[in-house]
Amino acid sequence: MLLTFSLVACKDKATVKEDEKDGKTTIRVVYKDEGPSNPVAQAYFSNLEKALKEDEKIDVKFELVEVPQGNYAEKLNLMLFSGDIPDMIYFQGGDQQIAEQDLLEDLTPYIEKSKHIKNILQPYNEKRLNNYPYLLWIKPLDSKTPVVRGDWFNQLSSSKELMENPTIDNYYKFFKELVASAPGGGKPANAVTVAGDITELDFIFEMAFGINQTWLKKEDGTYEYSKASNKEKEKLTFYNKLYNEGLLDPQYLTKQWDTKEKAFYDGETGVIVGTSGKVIDIYNGKMTQVNGEEAELVVLPPAKGESQGFAPTDITKEPRGIAISSQSKHKETVFQILDYLASPKGQMLDRLGFEKEHYNITDGQIELTQKYYNEWYAKFFEPSDFETEKPLKTPLLSEPAMKSQELAKEYYAEDNSFIIPEEYVSKWDAMENLYKEYATDIITGKRPVDDFEKFVKEWNAAGGEELTKYANENIK
């Protein structure tokens, strides 16, 4: 009750903002890393203003809202709960509690009458929107794929066997040789690093251990939570082996995305994991810029065992995306902007960046610059079919990036996870933190592997037994 009251009491703060500037409608936007202190973001939204006016006669002024440094989801929610609610909001977690306060607009009727968005939705987008109609995120499958620099890969005798038969054992052999042979002239110090937890490592190995869904079906037909299963114990035992032998970066817990990437470009680690498509493209551009064309990335397959894949795809909801505030006076205009960004003209800006910076028109063709490959990414949408106004002289994605997308599609599988009911959310958060604590301690050797049985007991006592019952009653 107190939370609801605080939101209502502060709601006027969101409407006090000026709606008109110089005769233009002001659209307030909050978007991680795309705030007013980012000159590229300022240029992007300035160009978008011009394009909207020229192509659609939509006259707006974007006001970018800065979010304080720190955990984006937490800082954003603090801002929203204070009553400062921009028109267009990018979420990267934390959106459910905002939606539960009826502060996010149901996008279903807007999409149904859209000109462009309804035509570029993928089947998994449609399923997610049917389950949770508040976030829009039209991107290729967001599976993460492992990569290694090509010059090192080509020096290793275990590379061929890994590609032909990527078993857990062959991955282990590859990691061992990667460190032992020191193809970097005394480096790398470790075979693989990840950003802060084992999530990225799971994209390589989890399905090989038979963890192919969040809720695993047992022989008796009932379901158990994958992280409390014997298969999880086997996976953590393997990760502990990688850690003990120095193959998994001993500093992985303190790595952030930027320090992880720097270690990769500097040759301090052999393999990192990145989102298929554009992120792999950026990794490849930076790697070849630092270490030469021969270092072009090689995309590695997911490990093969009981199952094979990078990760099952969650279709309960979009894990991140763009929302429209239900408190906004300009909901229709905000959606018109989003629909324009899904159009061929809107995609020219969103996908290609700025002319004479990220691309040039040469002999009637679009020639992408190195800066495009090194840094540009679509701020909003990346539909699978995108035809440019002029022919492309150079491809949108490098070969490794395209390969990563192909593999993501090849190994697509749907998860059976579900949105955690509100009455279980606080328990679920505590249960997940309990898992992270035990998993970290087991991997790093602070606890013996057999302590996994203690974790399962504590997890069940903390709410796992109730939630497992709920899962068995509701998974179809």
Side-chain angles (χ1 to χ4, degrees):
M1 289 296 290
L2 180 61
L3 180 62
T4 304
F5 173 78
S6 68
L7 285 168
V8 173
C10 296
K11 194 178 291 182
D12 285 345
K13 186 175 177 183
T15 60
V16 170
K17 303 288 182 183
E18 293 182 14
D19 290 311
E20 298 286 336
K21 287 186 180 178
D22 303 321
K24 300 173 184 287
T25 301
T26 299
I27 302 297
R28 301 182 69 239
V29 179
V30 61
Y31 201 133
K32 184 177 185 286
D33 302 327
E34 309 296 338
S37 60
N38 181 344
V40 176
Q42 290 279 25
Y44 176 88
F45 282 96
S46 177
N47 283 344
L48 180 55
E49 288 171 3
K50 295 172 187 173
L52 285 165
K53 186 171 184 180
E54 183 178 328
D55 298 334
E56 298 291 329
K57 305 299 184 284
I58 299 173
D59 203 3
V60 296
K61 176 69 178 176
F62 289 107
E63 180 184 317
L64 304 186
V65 179
E66 195 78 74
V67 177
Q69 291 293 313
N71 183 291
Y72 176 74
E74 292 176 5
K75 299 294 184 183
L76 173 63
N77 280 11
L78 285 173
M79 183 184 82
L80 299 177
F81 284 143
S82 78
D84 185 3
I85 308 172
D87 303 284
M88 184 191 296
I89 308 166
Y90 168 78
F91 283 99
Q92 193 169 311
D95 51 280
Q96 280 179 252
Q97 55 186 310
I98 305 299
E100 286 162 5
Q101 298 292 325
D102 295 324
L103 292 173
L104 302 183
E105 190 77 355
D106 183 338
L107 300 176
T108 306
Y110 298 87
I111 292 170
E112 286 174 353
K113 63 182 181 182
S114 65
K115 292 180 184 176
H116 306 287
I117 284 177
K118 65 184 176 184
N119 299 322
I120 65 172
L121 294 173
Q122 294 296 307
Y124 52 87
N125 297 134
E126 293 174 350
K127 289 179 180 178
R128 288 169 174 174
L129 283 164
N130 285 336
N131 292 329
Y132 186 86
Y134 307 109
L135 290 187
L136 195 57
W137 195 242
I138 306 168
K139 298 271 188 175
L141 285 169
D142 55 359
S143 290
K144 295 182 185 292
T145 52
V147 289
V148 63
R149 51 189 288 181
D151 52 349
W152 290 8
F153 176 85
N154 292 329
Q155 293 179 48
L156 303 180
S157 61
S158 57
S159 298
K160 186 174 184 290
E161 189 176 13
L162 175 68
M163 298 302 276
E164 292 176 351
N165 189 25
T167 62
I168 295 168
D169 284 345
N170 284 341
Y171 251 107
Y172 172 71
K173 290 176 189 174
F174 178 75
F175 282 175
K176 288 284 283 187
E177 188 186 5
L178 188 55
V179 173
S181 67
K187 297 177 181 180
N190 52 75
V192 61
T193 194
V194 291
D197 60 33
I198 60 172
T199 304
E200 293 176 342
L201 203 58
D202 285 345
F203 276 91
I204 308 176
F205 293 109
E206 190 163 71
M207 289 184 74
F209 283 94
I211 305 170
N212 58 355
Q213 289 187 311
T214 297
W215 295 90
L216 301 178
K217 197 167 190 177
K218 299 192 293 184
E219 288 184 6
D220 63 3
T222 62
Y223 290 92
E224 65 176 340
Y225 184 49
S226 60
K227 288 180 180 176
S229 68
N230 282 331
K231 296 178 190 298
E232 181 70 24
K233 181 180 179 181
E234 292 171 11
K235 184 192 78 177
L236 294 179
T237 302
F238 176 67
Y239 288 176
N240 170 252
K241 178 181 178 181
L242 296 181
Y243 184 89
N244 284 340
E245 296 185 18
L247 303 179
L248 172 60
D249 181 4
Q251 305 299 319
Y252 83 90
L253 288 167
T254 58
K255 282 285 195 294
Q256 301 294 323
W257 65 268
D258 54 343
T259 51
K260 172 194 85 171
E261 291 168 11
K262 185 177 186 302
F264 186 52
Y265 304 138
D266 290 349
E268 294 171 6
T269 195
V271 173
I272 63 170
V273 175
T275 307
S276 59
K278 189 59 196 176
V279 172
I280 297 299
D281 202 37
I282 291 172
Y283 286 179
N284 187 63
K286 289 183 178 178
M287 178 60 81
T288 53
Q289 187 177 40
V290 173
N291 296 293
E293 292 299 320
E294 66 277 6
E296 181 176 76
L297 299 183
V298 173
V299 183
L300 302 176
K304 182 172 70 172
E306 286 189 46
S307 186
Q308 187 179 17
F310 293 115
T313 298
D314 184 356
I315 58 169
T316 56
K317 63 185 288 293
E318 296 291 353
R320 62 177 70 190
I322 307 295
I324 298 176
S325 164
S326 63
Q327 309 303 302
S328 172
K329 294 180 180 180
H330 311 296
K331 294 189 280 284
E332 292 283 349
T333 302
V334 174
F335 191 83
Q336 283 180 316
I337 293 166
L338 295 175
D339 203 31
Y340 171 74
L341 285 161
S343 72
K345 287 189 175 181
Q347 281 289 288
M348 282 293 293
L349 169 62
D350 204 30
R351 294 287 284 276
L352 301 185
F354 312 145
E355 188 177 355
K356 297 182 180 177
E357 189 172 346
H358 300 106
Y359 68 93
N360 295 302
I361 304 298
T362 308
D363 299 326
Q365 293 182 305
I366 299 171
E367 185 173 17
L368 302 172
T369 66
Q370 192 59 48
K371 191 171 185 181
Y372 168 86
Y373 289 111
N374 288 355
E375 69 179 32
W376 190 258
Y377 55 91
K379 306 291 185 284
F380 289 90
F381 307 132
E382 291 181 74
S384 54
D385 295 323
F386 170 46
E387 289 189 14
T388 54
E389 294 176 338
K390 294 180 173 62
L392 283 167
K393 187 175 182 180
T394 44
L396 283 173
L397 293 174
S398 62
E399 201 169 308
M402 289 190 285
K403 181 65 176 177
S404 70
Q405 286 190 337
E406 289 169 10
L407 287 177
K409 288 179 184 177
E410 181 181 344
Y411 291 104
Y412 174 78
E414 290 183 2
D415 201 358
N416 61 356
S417 56
F418 48 83
I419 295 175
I420 303 299
E422 188 177 356
E423 62 267 31
Y424 294 112
V425 167
S426 59
K427 286 185 178 180
W428 177 256
D429 290 342
M431 289 151 59
E432 287 295 274
N433 287 333
L434 184 69
Y435 164 77
K436 289 176 184 176
E437 177 189 333
Y438 267 90
T440 299
D441 287 351
I442 288 171
I443 291 167
T444 58
K446 291 180 182 177
R447 290 178 182 269
V449 172
D450 286 342
D451 269 11
F452 186 81
E453 313 307 330
K454 291 182 182 178
F455 156 69
V456 174
K457 288 180 182 176
E458 288 186 39
W459 186 84
N460 279 318
E465 195 169 321
E466 294 173 70
L467 203 58
T468 300
K469 183 182 177 185
Y470 177 89
N472 277 282
E473 291 170 350
N474 288 276
I475 293 176
K476 298 175 182 178

